[in-house]
Amino acid sequence: MIPLRGLDHLVLRVVDLERMLAFYCGALGCTVERRVERLGLVQLRAGDALIDLVPVDGPLGRVGGAAPGREGRNLDHFCLRVEPFEEGAIRAQLRAHGASAGPLETRYGAGGEGPSLYVDDPEGNVIELKGPPAK
């Protein structure tokens, strides 16, 4: 068995890099860890994991097919662990950046059942923001 420990990174092919950076860094609090200009890659730190943004018109992005959208969706959703999970503060942060989350639900994740919100990024990728398991 492979001893998996959590999300390492995911790669999103993006149309508007600056808008995506504003959302992931501004609304969600990621930081730019590194840029690899020759590849057209920006890596964002999200806790212990990375989110790689690859512009569709860059060297890596051109080999990936259709741009994100109805015809070229690259991902159903991904989940970021949020702890502590303070719904009001999360919603306020998202609202300050022009985004809003769906209803609070209890969903199962890697740590068990816990609070969860879904939010769309500016290019329609669905992000689940998941709190710790209920005690």
Side-chain angles (χ1 to χ4, degrees):
M1 184 180 304
I2 298 172
L4 300 177
R5 299 290 182 244
L7 180 66
D8 182 83
H9 74 278
L10 59 92
V11 180
L12 294 176
R13 296 177 61 251
V14 304
V15 174
D16 186 337
L17 179 62
E18 292 309 313
R19 188 170 179 215
M20 295 293 271
L21 284 169
F23 178 80
Y24 281 92
C25 295
L28 296 183
C30 295
T31 56
V32 175
E33 177 141 326
R34 72 183 192 130
R35 290 177 182 257
V36 184
E37 301 295 337
R38 67 181 168 71
L39 296 176
L41 168 70
V42 179
Q43 292 184 301
L44 306 178
R45 174 61 56 186
D48 291 334
L50 294 175
I51 299 171
D52 296 355
L53 302 179
V54 177
V56 295
D57 60 354
L60 284 179
R62 282 191 294 270
V63 300
R70 292 193 116 136
E71 297 80 28
R73 198 142 183 180
N74 295 322
L75 181 70
D76 177 68
H77 82 277
F78 64 93
C79 181
L80 299 174
R81 176 71 177 264
V82 178
E83 196 170 346
F85 188 92
E86 297 172 0
E87 180 185 6
I90 292 167
R91 288 186 185 281
Q93 176 72 7
L94 292 171
R95 200 170 28 256
H97 292 275
S100 62
L104 180 68
E105 307 249 352
T106 298
R107 294 185 176 95
Y108 188 82
E113 295 275 341
S116 166
L117 295 169
Y118 283 158
V119 61
D120 290 349
D121 75 14
E123 293 188 2
N125 295 297
V126 179
I127 306 158
E128 180 180 355
L129 302 175
K130 177 117 177 30
K135 295 183 181 185

